[in-house]
Amino acid sequence: MDKLKAILVDDEQDSRQILSNYLAKYCPDVELMAACKNIQEGLEAIKKISPDLLLLDIEMPFGTGFDLLEQVEDISFETVFVTAYDNYAIQALNMSAAYYLLKPIDIDELVNAVDKIKSEKEQNVDSFHVQVLLDNIKQENERPKKIMLPTFEGFEIVPIDQIIYCEADDNFTKFHLKDGKPLLISKTLKHFEEMLPKTKFVRIHRSSLINTDYVVRYTKGKGGYVTMENDVELEVSPKKKPQFLEAFK
């Protein structure tokens, strides 16, 4: 395929220069068409160029990268977010399976992101990463409401309030949903324990991560066990029991 037409939006001149140099030297499949210093310049460049790829800083004066995307009527490009570490931003990006790079930029991570996007373009794979991300960002309580789960056939976008519990299966995780349809995802349970909101999801056993909204009964014992809304009984390990009980205080 032809080179990916790219636009870079970052308010810091040094960051623009470094990323421009990296793209020129390490990403031969990318042609940088514009390097913009603010949201307005970025919007004008998007309308003029119709890029395949947008490299977008999140924190900028007078708005964020998310504000820029909200103003684009039809997002037909893939986005790689560039950010300094921020817990909420990173959680939202992970939940949507969005591409992002942490400052200072790691060259291997940049090349990897570009390669994945190029592969998706060649396979004509539509990306919904950005829309899921924006839906999550809009939430008033700043807690993401949807998660994008890669499956063997593609991906599923799942509201997190539909997840009853997650079950470890070697290096996979099985999601048990309210509609009764399980999803097997090729990531570990620990990965989702770190990603899902800790105000609702509690690890009760090495093999179980539950949504406390779906607990209907706790039965005492050395660790005890919980009965979930779908009538499944799950063991609570003695080690995890204090953490589980704390969630209901």
Side-chain angles (χ1 to χ4, degrees), residues 98-233:
Y99 300 106
Y100 66 88
L101 302 170
L102 296 177
K103 293 181 178 180
I105 302 299
D106 180 283
I107 295 170
D108 290 338
E109 291 180 359
L110 170 63
V111 171
N112 187 46
V114 168
D115 286 347
K116 287 181 179 179
I117 289 168
K118 182 173 181 287
S119 177
E120 286 186 357
K121 291 287 185 182
E122 289 174 341
Q123 297 174 39
N124 294 316
V125 176
D126 291 328
S127 173
F128 296 90
H129 308 307
V130 171
Q131 191 54 58
V132 175
L133 174 65
L134 293 178
D135 288 346
N136 285 337
I137 292 292
K138 287 177 185 177
Q139 300 304 316
E140 291 182 3
N141 64 359
E142 296 192 343
R143 195 183 69 201
K145 285 294 194 294
K146 298 177 183 176
I147 185 169
M148 183 176 282
L149 301 174
T151 65
F152 297 110
E153 296 79 23
F155 61 83
E156 299 259 357
I157 299 172
V158 176
I160 63 172
D161 62 5
Q162 297 299 300
I163 302 169
I164 298 177
Y165 71 98
C166 304
E167 177 186 9
D169 187 355
D170 291 328
N171 288 324
F172 293 79
T173 298
K174 184 177 289 186
F175 277 71
H176 296 268
L177 307 177
K178 191 171 183 180
D179 66 6
K181 180 183 70 172
L183 287 175
L184 188 63
I185 309 301
S186 59
K187 290 185 182 295
T188 64
L189 187 62
K190 181 175 176 59
H191 173 84
F192 293 110
E193 180 186 9
E194 294 173 350
M195 184 184 298
L196 289 165
K198 290 177 173 52
T199 53
K200 292 294 181 184
F201 288 84
V202 177
R203 186 80 172 259
I204 62 168
H205 192 274
R206 60 182 174 81
S207 62
S208 303
L209 176 68
I210 65 169
N211 184 341
T212 56
D213 285 344
Y214 288 99
V215 173
V216 297
R217 185 180 307 109
Y218 169 68
T219 304
K220 293 180 179 180
K222 186 175 181 181
Y225 63 88
V226 294
T227 304
M228 306 302 289
E229 191 175 293
N230 61 352
D231 294 326
V232 171
E233 293 183 350

Side-chain angles (χ1 to χ4, degrees), residues 56-73:
L56 181 61
D57 188 18
I58 293 181
E59 294 297 330
M60 293 183 285
F62 312 112
T64 69
F66 305 134
D67 296 325
L68 181 152
L69 292 172
E70 290 279 10
Q71 298 179 56
V72 179
E73 292 184 6

